């Protein structure tokens, strides 16, 4: 519980409190401002810590707010770190885009490492990871407000996986929506096409896009084909049990260049426990089918319920032995109160960190470089998700979305369309309803609002 006199920043301070699972601590935060100095006093269970920070003279209210928020969060982080004796890998950073912050800092001061390590208390390890990601993005990171990535969302899956934190419905239970969804989606894609300025990439995400019956998948791809100028084109096919020679042939015909074949783990025991309805062998079969025609990404998750370090190690080593272009290592993210939070054994502290560290070292030794990363709330160990690419074969879509440097025209339920101004200095967003039925009911308005949004 936190009590602060900076009422507007309480949600931000709670994010820091959550890093330490601090719900049971009694925290009082007081703020005062003198000439060029901010003072934050934090009392944790009766123990008081005070921090003073010299700041520049403020001429701009937004900058003033930014500094006040930054040092309040940082002071709370330092106090909680002292009180609990724990450091967090990303220090006081709570945002989902550490690299974006690093780029901003580089633009302002010419460097970010000193700021990360000495101001924000980010570990040297994570600062180094950020640096490597920025290096991998050279030649792809392009600030141009005309650049456009085109996204289409398919909210259906062959079944729901127990850990999944994304919006998607089991297609068996949602079959009544499929025809209408495809109709509305096609209408939205058609109406959105003129909003594309300079197409950088296309991404069909999910859910599991290839869970759609082949005739419906073909209709969606046909509509997208009109806008495709031969750019990077990803389909997050995803579930190996939904990938087959027929749907891959359709994807190939329509110029798809990259697909995901996601194991999550190569342990059959874990796959069954998580309700994924496929085996490790299915991953090999799907990968063999996909490899000859597409660049392939494989998603893995560190910290899955019931898995030990050796399980994760085996999954990572197996993925590397297959030699896909991209491997993305996610850290399990469990929302409080969710099935997994209640029903599963927690891993010993530090175990997920060991898995992530192992993946970082082993992937680099195998010739993979980290090229994008992001964080989420409720991540095990307060870690991150990192995408790795071999031989510089990065996914431009992932870079643009994480760094928010290109406009994103998105179609479908739960789609977020973004406009960027001045290389991402200002961003405007418009989101569609997450629920399929609401999306269908409002589809006409959604299109009109989107067109207006780009006026
Ligand atoms: C939007 S999902 C779509 C993937 C595809 N449907 C599949 O299952 O293969 C993208 C990725 O997010 C990751 N993911 C989903 N839920 C997660 C969670 N709770 N914690 C960590 N990663 C998660 C998985 O690695 C998954 O492959
Ligand atoms: S198939 Fe993918 S999107 Fe669907 S529930 Fe499983 S992890 Fe989530």
């Amino acid at each position: 519980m936190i009590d602060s006199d900076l009422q507007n920043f309480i949600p931000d301070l709670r994010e820091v409190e959550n890093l330490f699972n601090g719900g049971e601590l009694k925290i009082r935060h007081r703020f005062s401002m003198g000439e060029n100095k901010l003072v934050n006093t934090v009392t944790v269970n009766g123990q008081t810590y005070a921090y003073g920070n010299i700041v520049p003279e403020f001429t701009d209210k937004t900058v003033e707010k930014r500094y006040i928020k930054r040092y309040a969060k940082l002071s709370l982080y330092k106090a909680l770190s002292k009180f609990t004796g724990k450091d967090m890998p990303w220090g006081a950073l709570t945002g989902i885009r550490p690299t974006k912050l690093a780029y901003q800092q580089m633009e302002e001061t010419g460097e970010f490492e000193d700021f990360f390590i000495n101001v924000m208390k980010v570990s040297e390890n994570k600062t180094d990871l950020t640096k490597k990601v920025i290096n991998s993005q050279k030649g792809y990171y392009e600030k141009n407000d005309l650049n456009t990535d085109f996204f289409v969302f398919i909210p259906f899956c062959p079944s729901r996986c127990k850990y999944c934190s994304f919006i998607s419905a089991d297609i068996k239970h949602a079959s009544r929506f499929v025809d209408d969804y495809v109709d509305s989606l096609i209408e939205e894609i058609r109406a959105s096409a003129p909003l594309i300025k300079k197409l950088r990439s296309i991404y069909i995400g999910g859910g599991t896009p290839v869970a759609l019956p082949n005739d419906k998948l073909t209709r969606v791809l046909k509509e997208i084909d009109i806008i495709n100028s031969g750019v990077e084109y990803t389909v997050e096919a995803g579930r190996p049990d939904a990938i087959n020679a027929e749907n891959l042939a359709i994807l190939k015909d329509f110029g798809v260049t990259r697909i995901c074949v996601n194991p999550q783990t190569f342990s059959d025991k874990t796959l069954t426990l998580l309700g994924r309805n496929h085996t490790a062998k299915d991953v090999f079969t799907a990968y063999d089918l996909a490899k000859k025609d597409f660049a392939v990404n494989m998603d893995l998750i560190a910290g899955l319920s019931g898995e030990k370090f050796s399980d994760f190690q085996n999954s990572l080593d197996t993925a590397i032995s297959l030699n896909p272009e991209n491997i993305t290592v996610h850290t399990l993210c469990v929302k409080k109160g969710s099935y997994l939070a209640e029903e599963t054994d927690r891993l010993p502290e530090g175990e997920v960190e060991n898995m992530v560290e192992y993946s970082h070292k082993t992937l680099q030794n195998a010739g993979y470089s980290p090229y994008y990363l992001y964080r989420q709330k409720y991540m095990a160990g307060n870690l991150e998700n990192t995408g790795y690419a071999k031989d510089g074969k990065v996914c431009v879509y992932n870079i643009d979305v994480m760094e928010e440097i290109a406009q994103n025209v998105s179609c479908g339920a739960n789609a977020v369309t973004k406009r960027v101004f001045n290389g991402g200095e200002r961003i405007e967003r418009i989101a569609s309803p997450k629920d399929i039925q609401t999306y269908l009911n409002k589809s006409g308005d959604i299109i009109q609002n989107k067109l207006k949004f780009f006026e």
Side-chain angles (χ1 to χ4, degrees):
M1 273 295 290
I2 183 154
D3 152 45
S4 168
D5 50 6
L6 292 178
Q7 284 295 319
N8 290 346
F9 296 137
I10 285 190
D12 302 282
L13 295 172
R14 275 213 186 108
E15 283 179 2
V16 177
E17 184 187 4
N18 285 339
L19 295 177
F20 293 86
N21 278 329
E24 270 130 54
L25 299 172
K26 201 163 178 290
I27 306 167
R28 187 171 181 272
H29 165 247
R30 291 293 173 264
F31 168 78
S32 66
M33 192 163 158
E35 214 176 286
N36 287 0
K37 192 169 183 187
L38 307 180
V39 178
N40 286 281
T41 309
V42 181
T43 309
V44 187
N45 284 6
Q47 206 151 320
T48 299
Y49 309 87
Y51 303 96
N53 293 96
I54 307 293
V55 286
E57 200 174 318
F58 298 125
T59 46
D60 178 330
K61 274 278 163 212
T62 327
V63 178
E64 178 176 342
K65 241 173 95 178
R66 175 143 63 94
Y67 270 94
I68 292 176
K69 182 163 95 178
R70 175 182 295 169
Y71 284 116
K73 285 175 75 174
L74 194 55
S75 303
L76 176 60
Y77 174 81
K78 284 189 196 159
L80 287 171
S81 173
K82 264 245 156 75
F83 184 84
T84 58
K86 287 184 187 165
D87 291 321
M88 294 299 149
W90 288 97
L93 296 191
T94 53
I96 64 170
R97 296 182 165 84
T99 40
K100 191 176 166 187
L101 181 66
Y103 276 115
Q104 274 169 0
Q105 193 62 25
M106 273 157 60
E107 270 176 28
E108 282 171 28
T109 66
E111 70 88 47
F112 78 93
E113 285 125 300
D114 181 54
F115 172 72
F116 264 37
I117 294 173
N118 295 319
V119 180
M120 301 312 287
K121 306 296 172 199
V122 177
S123 69
E124 294 205 3
N125 220 351
K126 298 302 171 197
T127 305
D128 182 56
L129 173 63
T130 310
K131 194 173 165 188
K132 287 183 168 140
V133 168
I134 289 174
N135 270 337
S136 300
Q137 294 186 354
K138 283 193 181 128
Y140 301 97
Y141 182 94
E142 183 180 300
K143 281 192 169 185
N144 179 346
D145 295 356
L146 300 180
N147 282 349
T148 307
D149 298 294
F150 195 77
F151 179 77
V152 173
F153 184 61
I154 308 291
F156 305 109
C157 291
S159 68
R160 276 296 287 171
C161 309
K162 284 195 180 120
Y163 59 84
C164 184
S165 53
F166 290 83
I167 306 277
S168 193
D170 181 332
I171 198 161
K172 294 187 286 302
H173 304 141
S175 56
R176 67 188 182 284
F177 294 126
V178 173
D179 284 358
D180 289 348
Y181 188 81
V182 169
D183 287 344
S184 296
L185 187 63
I186 285 175
E187 230 175 279
E188 192 183 356
I189 294 170
R190 195 168 298 161
S192 303
L195 303 173
I196 298 170
K197 290 174 184 148
K198 194 166 171 267
L199 189 68
R200 282 263 281 180
S201 72
I202 301 170
Y203 196 105
I204 308 184
T208 306
V210 294
L212 283 179
N214 286 346
D215 58 328
K216 309 280 182 308
L217 180 66
T218 304
R219 285 187 62 207
V220 175
L221 293 167
K222 236 186 204 159
E223 197 58 47
I224 298 176
D225 198 41
I226 299 168
I227 60 161
N228 186 9
S229 50
V231 292
E232 171 192 289
Y233 189 170
T234 301
V235 176
E236 200 176 20
R239 277 269 293 258
D241 49 331
I243 295 173
N244 52 54
E246 292 76 47
N247 54 30
L248 288 185
I250 297 172
L251 300 185
K252 188 184 169 200
D253 272 357
F254 282 101
V256 170
T257 60
R258 178 178 179 268
I259 72 163
C260 303
V261 179
N262 295 329
Q264 316 300 352
T265 170
F266 281 90
S267 154
D268 285 344
K269 193 172 147 225
T270 313
L271 287 167
T272 307
L273 192 78
L274 297 174
R276 255 183 89 84
N277 290 0
H278 68 80
T279 60
K281 191 166 167 276
D282 295 329
V283 180
F284 300 130
T285 311
Y287 182 72
D288 276 349
L289 287 174
K291 186 64 197 148
K292 46 187 187 318
D293 294 318
F294 306 94
V296 174
N297 169 67
M298 289 192 161
D299 281 354
L300 294 175
I301 302 180
L304 283 169
S305 333
E307 292 218 327
K308 293 197 277 299
F309 179 82
S310 55
D311 297 303
F312 178 77
Q313 186 178 33
N314 176 56
S315 295
L316 187 85
D317 294 352
T318 309
I320 290 175
S321 72
L322 294 172
N323 200 28
E325 282 73 8
N326 301 153
I327 295 179
T328 310
V329 179
H330 295 82
T331 308
L332 185 70
C333 157
V334 180
K335 286 192 183 146
K336 282 181 191 152
S338 70
Y339 168 85
L340 283 185
E342 303 301 322
E343 305 290 325
T344 58
D345 300 335
R346 306 303 311 140
L347 279 169
E349 215 174 292
E351 191 79 329
V352 187
E353 201 154 0
N354 292 340
M355 293 175 179
V356 169
E357 243 346 273
Y358 176 76
S359 67
H360 190 50
K361 277 204 194 97
T362 316
L363 280 160
Q364 287 185 94
N365 287 339
Y368 288 85
S369 309
Y371 78 95
Y372 85 104
L373 71 84
Y374 67 102
R375 302 177 66 218
Q376 281 168 289
K377 281 185 184 162
Y378 312 116
M379 292 191 98
N382 286 312
L383 294 158
E384 66 283 325
N385 300 326
T386 308
Y388 294 83
K390 201 161 192 182
D391 303 326
K393 290 182 187 141
V394 303
C395 168
V396 166
Y397 181 85
N398 287 332
I399 295 178
D400 282 1
V401 165
M402 278 314 139
E403 309 308 340
E404 297 190 302
I405 45 171
Q407 71 169 12
N408 193 298
V409 176
S410 290
C411 301
N414 197 28
V416 179
T417 290
K418 281 184 206 171
R419 280 186 82 177
V420 298
F421 302 87
N422 291 336
E425 221 170 79
R426 183 162 69 84
I427 296 164
E428 288 181 5
R429 298 175 180 80
I430 181 168
S432 292
K434 294 181 177 183
D435 172 59
I436 301 175
Q437 183 69 72
T438 318
Y439 170 76
L440 295 177
N441 294 345
K442 296 192 170 169
S443 83
D445 292 346
I446 290 168
I447 293 175
Q448 285 317 311
N449 289 343
K450 201 201 265 182
L451 297 181
K452 225 181 268 161
F453 178 71
F454 277 95
E455 272 172 9

